[in-house]
Amino acid sequence: MFENDSKFSFAEPDACGASNGRPEPLLPVAPLARLRLLVALDALLATGSVSGAAKALGISPPAASRMLAQLRRLFDDELLVRSGRGMVPTALAGRLRMRVRGLAAEADALMRGEPAPADPPPPHPPLALERGARLDGQPDECGRLRRLFEIGPAHPPQHRLARHVAMVGAGRSRARPLDLAEAEDAFAILLDGEADPVQVGAFLVALQYRGITPDELAGLVRAARRQLRPLTDAGPVDLDWPAYLSPRNRRTPWFLPAARLLGEAGHRVLLHGFGSQLSPLDPVLEALGIPVAGSVAEAEARLSGPGCVFLPLPAILPQLQALVNLYRVLQMRSPVNLSLQLLNPLAAPATVMGLPGASLATLHREAAGLLGWNRLLCIDSHRDVAQATPHRLMGLALSERAEVSWLSAPARLAERCASPPPGLTSAEHCRAVWNGQSRDPAAIAAIVDTAALGLLATGAAPYDLAEARRLARDLWDRRTIAGPRADTGAARAVQGRRPRACRGTA
């Protein structure tokens, strides 16, 4: 039915009269062929995988993969992106999902000769229809959904959260993603402390196992920001810099001297991350003289002028830190960790973040678009923070409202050689490099390149990495050396160590 369809044509050539040397995915030109694609889209969204859709449709996986490519070109959207243990719908696919399911379910019922339902169909039809005999008294899928949707905003918080958990945790063939409003309501219940502990675990694990959608991520962030004071579109900060490093991360945080460099240059930079119990950053912050704010109001006051400030998560929302601490019980990260990257507590007009892989970058960009973010720079580098990697390729994606610009930054150093010298901690190493007592070329390259990323994110430099590096290098050469000095023992350790050879330019 799907594999031998002759009602397709090649895509039109581009404006230059060529199609880049290969044919574009075939697009349907007949109404019947387009209807078949909608049935395929329904199966892809219901199963969350190409192989699952192929099995449901009775076709081969390559044929299902071709149909997904056709759908992506037809809607000009990825539709499904990899996240967690499978593929999750994009924001557009989430909006199309129930509409397509309703069309497919009604067509299936009509072809089977089933009578029209006496009651109006539920607002969100099931993703898959159960076939075969049911036990006496067992509700059908539509009946189950009707009962769930009888739970409305006036019901107690635990009842509403139970409905949300049932929606996301009903199994791959029956679950559906929450829309933005539902996700906001569910997470607000968690943040208000009104959820049963079992519900908290069930909700977070179900989302993490299935993979979170852009609407759900945006809803989580919106609920968290609603707990803060009302924020304007332009806060007292130029650049938001999330830095939620794993407590096991022992790499030197070169993004901190880069943030201080931008602060000295006249930018207002807000760093935020875990509290002192989880964060490995406190000694480095102290060594570099970066103040730690005790509240959102204090951070705002300190950023009344140029500079950079670190704001711990417990000072933003203690309940968020408590939810993060569930890692000790669940032994896994949860969607809460993803929402922290988009928290932006002072409503900065620009955010720079580090995300591993294109799927997470796409997820955060789409969620940021739903939240109305102005500028977002995603760097494919470290998992938890935006920090340049001069020793390997970096992928950059700058989102400015609806437009996305891509840039690939090749490695300019042959190897990473920025580990602290023997006898020095990361904090002492950072301070020694800042004060010029250590001339580690890889460390300086990491600081300069990371500062360049900050300039790109704020728009202070054109979207040209070479020019941004030049501006950042100039800031580095003019930095203020006066400030916390390296102790005598650290200075002797640096001076007594012969710098390791490092190929490349800093």
Side-chain angles (χ1 to χ4, degrees):
M1 174 179 177
F2 291 97
E3 294 184 88
N4 299 318
D5 194 335
S6 61
K7 303 298 184 181
F8 292 91
S9 66
F10 284 103
E12 293 295 328
D14 59 24
C16 299
S19 57
N20 301 323
R22 60 182 179 182
E24 297 287 349
L26 297 176
L27 294 179
V29 296
L32 180 59
R34 289 177 180 256
L35 287 175
R36 289 172 172 175
L37 279 186
L38 291 181
V39 175
L41 177 59
D42 173 57
L44 286 162
L45 295 177
T47 61
S49 71
V50 172
S51 59
K55 184 177 179 181
L57 295 171
I59 61 176
S60 67
S65 180
R66 286 196 298 271
M67 298 185 85
L68 176 58
Q70 293 159 7
L71 285 162
R72 283 171 167 168
R73 181 160 176 78
L74 187 65
F75 288 102
D76 192 24
D77 186 84
E78 285 295 302
L79 297 178
L80 286 168
V81 294
R82 188 158 298 283
S83 177
R85 293 177 176 268
M87 302 181 77
V88 297
T90 63
L92 174 63
R95 292 192 293 270
L96 295 174
R97 187 169 196 164
M98 290 305 151
R99 186 177 176 187
V100 172
R101 173 83 290 259
L103 289 172
E106 178 61 21
D108 187 63
L110 183 63
M111 294 299 292
R112 291 175 178 270
E114 297 177 0
D119 299 326
H124 294 281
L127 293 184
L129 298 178
E130 292 181 346
R131 300 297 176 193
R134 292 191 302 272
L135 299 176
D136 290 342
Q138 179 184 354
D140 61 14
E141 199 63 26
C142 290
R144 185 183 74 89
L145 284 174
R146 285 193 183 93
R147 287 205 307 273
L148 287 176
F149 275 90
E150 288 174 357
I151 301 174
H155 282 74
Q158 289 190 8
H159 290 194
R160 302 200 314 272
L161 185 56
R163 174 195 175 214
H164 300 319
V165 172
M167 286 291 100
V168 300
R172 185 174 294 277
S173 64
R174 294 184 297 165
R176 70 162 179 85
L178 302 179
D179 61 31
L180 195 151
E182 291 170 331
E184 181 179 357
D185 180 53
F187 202 55
I189 295 171
L190 268 62
L191 291 176
D192 290 337
E194 297 176 320
D196 184 272
V198 174
Q199 290 179 314
V200 175
F203 179 70
L204 295 179
V205 170
L207 280 183
Q208 180 72 8
Y209 182 84
R210 188 211 63 208
I212 194 170
T213 66
D215 285 84
E216 290 168 339
L217 180 55
L220 265 61
V221 175
R222 186 175 289 182
R225 289 173 58 80
R226 200 172 69 188
Q227 300 280 328
L228 302 171
R229 63 172 179 76
L231 297 171
T232 61
D233 291 336
V237 60
D238 300 315
L239 181 61
D240 180 69
W241 203 319
Y244 292 89
L245 273 68
S246 166
R248 293 191 295 270
N249 191 321
R250 292 295 178 263
R251 293 179 179 175
T252 305
W254 297 117
F255 67 92
L256 289 179
R260 178 179 171 180
L261 197 63
L262 294 179
E264 285 195 353
H267 301 281
R268 298 167 298 177
V269 181
L270 178 69
L271 298 151
H272 50 100
F274 293 131
S276 57
Q277 291 184 341
L278 293 179
S279 175
L281 299 179
D282 281 6
V284 185
L285 292 168
E286 182 180 0
L288 292 173
I290 298 176
V292 178
S295 66
V296 174
E298 182 184 345
E300 187 175 18
R302 285 182 175 274
L303 290 173
S304 58
C308 67
V309 172
F310 183 83
L311 182 61
L313 182 60
I316 304 173
L317 283 176
Q319 184 70 356
L320 267 181
Q321 183 71 67
L323 292 173
V324 170
N325 291 344
L326 289 177
Y327 181 93
R328 300 166 184 170
V329 178
L330 302 175
Q331 286 300 302
M332 58 180 285
R333 289 194 175 200
S334 76
V336 177
N337 295 78
L338 296 178
S339 68
L340 299 177
Q341 299 277 7
L342 290 169
L343 191 56
N344 195 0
L346 289 184
T351 297
V352 59
M353 65 177 63
L355 296 167
S359 61
L360 274 181
T362 300
L363 172 68
H364 281 75
R365 285 200 313 272
E366 293 192 2
L370 293 170
L371 293 166
W373 269 207
N374 291 328
R375 289 175 66 91
L376 174 65
L377 180 62
C378 295
I379 299 106
D380 183 6
S381 58
H382 293 273
R383 178 176 65 172
D384 301 313
V385 69
Q387 178 169 302
T389 53
H391 61 284
R392 65 177 177 84
L393 179 72
M394 278 192 307
L396 311 178
L398 177 65
S399 303
E400 193 166 7
R401 293 182 172 86
E403 296 185 1
V404 182
S405 302
W406 304 87
L407 182 65
S408 180
R412 65 190 187 104
L413 295 179
E415 59 184 37
R416 178 173 57 200
C417 52
S419 57
L424 288 187
T425 65
S426 291
E428 293 167 340
H429 192 199
C430 277
R431 186 167 53 187
V433 170
W434 179 272
N435 288 330
Q437 295 166 323
S438 173
R439 300 186 180 279
D440 190 324
I444 296 173
I447 296 171
V448 170
D449 284 13
T450 304
L453 297 178
L455 294 174
L456 291 177
T458 60
Y463 199 51
D464 181 315
L465 189 57
E467 176 63 14
R469 279 172 173 162
R470 187 192 65 78
L471 294 173
R473 181 69 203 211
D474 184 57
L475 295 179
W476 174 257
D477 292 338
R478 294 187 289 109
R479 72 191 185 283
T480 302
I481 300 294
R485 303 296 299 181
D487 60 82
T488 306
R492 283 198 300 267
V494 172
Q495 293 167 0
R497 174 180 181 266
R498 185 174 181 177
R500 187 168 26 162
C502 185
R503 298 184 297 276
T505 59

